[in-house]
Structure formats: structure tokens, C-alpha cells
Amino acid sequence: MTPTPPTLLVLDADPPPRLGRLTGRARIVHTDAGRLAERLPGADVLLVWDFTSHAVREAWPGDGPRPRWVHTASAGVDHLMCPELAASDTVVTNARGIFDQPIAEYVAALVLAAAKDLPRTLEYQRERTWRHRETRRVAGTRACVVGSGPIGRAIARTLKALGVTTALVGRVSRTGVHGPDDLDRLISRADWVIAAAPLTDRTYRMFDTHRFGVMQPSAFFVNVGRGGLVDEEALARALTRRWIAGAALDVFAAEPLPGDSPLWELPGLVVSPHMSGDTVGWRDELGVQFVELYERWAAGRSLLNVVDKTCGYVPGH
């Protein structure tokens, strides 16, 4: 008698994942957020394809069994973690490795655009205005990258290739990485401050009035981590009062950013719609990564990208 294949529950987003390689090897059930809670008890594995949804965090508490393994198609796991999931035996994995270099390239583009004043160049072109200016040299400047995981390290490598002296700040001090106690000192000297940390209780709104006040008036701030890392009202004051020269946000406390948000019109702020890691073919890469993880899981081999649920990220970086 042929054994029943494991049930794979997919929290869908459009377009859905390509899971053809799992045909006959998994019973694939698709669900939306509204039916997730009722379908969780019957699932062996949960693929959180809709990584913008908080449905897992809301649906996980409850009666009945729960999946033995949850994979999220994102680097961050704050959207799905809840006390019940953290305390369970369920293994959580993430999409570590997919977004590292694309996000690093995006940060480098923002740094170059800010240094070379490209937004105003495009604005003057639309106005048919010929206005010569001098711009900043990037080589020889300093950057502080907050977040020492794969994304932060990729950002540091890419900026170093541009001649930027880069310091990494992580949760603990170790070779090549500064600890939190060094953060204020490093950002006070940095031309570029980049937030790429996971969102945890420790990092929530770590960039506040104090931190923006410590930065140089010529500093440029970038957030490609999570919106919750930044006190957005404090950033608005810092830009309006010219405490810092400019900023770029790719992530926000509320997404999509509401049309009536004052952030849209802040002087010196670049707003992008959570796209820094999304390059052509990224969804296919996420699908391939999950299928390879599923094959390891089905074969009884240890999973990669296992998240420490108490910390909120994959340890060892």
C-alpha cells in the first residue's frame, strides 16, 4: 500500500509558488488567511508564501496539532512569530541567502544616488534646467551597517568595493563585528548609516530621536531591514529640522504606506515599496529553495536556515 504523502499547506500569495517537483511527494493544499486556522491542524508542513501576512501569528494559537515545520519565503520572521509558535517543537526556516546581494546592490545604488545628487539631476532635467553642481566622492567615506547577518555582510562587502570604510554592528561583539555598545560612537562618525537588522524586542525602534541626534548633519540614513526598526516620527523631525542630510526607506511600520502618510512629502526622503531584494526571477528562486529544503526534510536530513525562535533569526552570523 502506497503511504500517504505529507500534507503541505501553502499560505498563498499571487503568483503562487511553482511546486511541480513535489507532485506525488506532497499533498499540496492552498489556503488564504481566512481559512488558515481551520487547516493548520491537518498540515505537516506550512509554506508561508504570503510573507506580508500576519495570519500565522493570529491563527497559530488554538486547539489541535500544528505543522512540524514552517518555512517563510522571507528573511524576516517577525510577521509569523507568536509565543505559542516560539514555545512549540515546530521548526521554523527562512529564505536566508536569496536577498543578500540584491539588497546590497540596492543600498549601493542609494548611496551613489545620494552622493551624486541624482534625484535633483532628474528633477532639473524634467524642468529643462541647466544647473551645474559639485557632488560628493563616495570613496573614502564611512558607513555603519547595523545588522551583521548575511544581508548586512553583503552590504558591507559591496560598499567596501566602492572604497567606503565600513563597520558592522551585531548583537554581540566578535571578530570583525562591533557590539551594540559601539553603535552611538560609530554612527556619530558615519556618512552612511544602514539598518539591516532583524526586528526583535531589542531592535524595535532602535533608530529614535537620540540616534538621529547623534548622527552627523551630513549623514544619510537607509532602512532595508524592517519598518519597526525606525521611529518614523523621530525620522520625520530629523529630516525636517535637518539633523541629517537625507534618508531612504524601503520598509515601513505600515505597508503599503498609506497615501495620506506625511512620509511621502518629507524633504530629503526616498520612499520605495519594499522592493530592495526583489530582482527579476526572485519568486522562482524562493520556490526552488523551498523545494530543496522539502526534499531534505522528506529524506530525514537536517534542515538549513533554521531560525532560533527565541532570537528571531538564523544564528551563527
Side-chain angles (χ1 to χ4, degrees):
M1 185 174 179
T2 304
T4 303
T7 297
L8 167 59
L9 183 62
V10 181
L11 178 59
D12 267 336
D14 188 34
R18 296 182 180 181
L19 302 174
R21 276 171 55 183
L22 299 184
T23 301
R25 302 162 67 186
R27 175 177 172 265
I28 301 175
V29 178
H30 295 267
T31 189
D32 57 17
R35 301 193 67 185
L36 179 63
E38 68 180 81
R39 289 178 168 172
L40 275 178
D44 298 294
V45 179
L46 172 63
L47 168 57
V48 185
W49 191 248
D50 184 359
F51 53 81
T52 65
S53 172
H54 293 97
V56 176
R57 192 164 63 192
E58 297 163 358
W60 195 271
D63 297 330
R66 290 293 184 265
R68 292 173 281 161
W69 168 35
V70 174
H71 177 78
T72 179
S74 61
V77 299
D78 50 281
H79 60 290
L80 57 86
M81 293 305 298
C82 62
E84 291 82 4
L85 174 54
S88 72
D89 294 332
T90 296
V91 176
V92 176
T93 57
N94 71 355
R96 183 186 190 195
I98 299 295
F99 302 106
D100 307 354
Q101 191 56 35
I103 291 178
E105 293 171 3
Y106 199 87
V107 169
L110 289 169
V111 166
L112 288 168
K116 303 307 177 184
D117 202 22
L118 291 185
R120 276 204 295 178
T121 295
L122 296 174
E123 181 180 341
Y124 288 147
Q125 180 180 350
R126 285 191 295 269
E127 297 172 353
R128 298 174 181 260
T129 299
W130 182 278
R131 183 164 299 173
H132 180 271
R133 290 109 60 219
E134 295 177 347
T135 61
R136 299 177 67 182
R137 183 191 294 261
V138 172
T141 59
R142 295 175 181 268
C144 177
V145 180
V146 183
S148 59
I151 293 173
R153 294 199 302 270
I155 292 170
R157 287 194 303 271
T158 303
L159 292 181
K160 286 177 182 178
L162 296 174
V164 180
T165 300
T166 307
L168 268 174
V169 177
R171 186 173 65 91
V172 294
S173 176
R174 57 193 184 277
T175 302
V177 178
H178 296 267
D181 291 344
D182 292 333
L183 179 57
D184 285 359
R185 176 178 61 84
L186 291 170
I187 65 175
S188 71
R189 303 167 58 194
D191 301 286
W192 319 101
V193 178
I194 296 97
L199 181 59
T200 67
D201 290 342
R202 291 186 177 188
T203 62
Y204 178 69
R205 291 193 174 184
M206 65 184 301
F207 289 98
D208 55 10
T209 298
H210 166 74
R211 292 270 158 69
F212 291 121
V214 168
M215 295 179 197
Q216 301 184 82
S218 59
F220 190 86
F221 174 75
V222 177
N223 186 16
V224 289
R226 282 290 182 267
L229 299 177
V230 177
D231 180 337
E232 292 175 350
E233 291 185 2
L235 175 61
R237 286 193 298 272
L239 289 169
T240 302
R241 298 174 184 178
R242 302 187 184 279
W243 293 354
I244 60 175
L249 300 180
D250 187 55
V251 286
F252 301 86
E255 296 183 5
L257 186 65
D260 60 355
S261 170
L263 294 176
W264 288 107
E265 298 181 350
L266 273 181
L269 178 63
V270 176
V271 171
S272 58
H274 204 149
M275 57 179 281
S276 61
D278 301 347
T279 51
V280 175
W282 66 284
R283 290 184 178 88
D284 290 339
E285 291 182 48
L286 288 171
V288 169
Q289 181 188 56
F290 173 74
V291 169
E292 291 175 350
L293 286 172
Y294 184 91
E295 290 171 342
R296 293 180 67 95
W297 178 82
R301 299 167 61 197
S302 59
L303 286 167
L304 306 175
N305 293 5
V306 176
V307 173
D308 183 331
K309 294 184 291 182
T310 62
C311 297
Y313 52 82
V314 178
H317 58 261

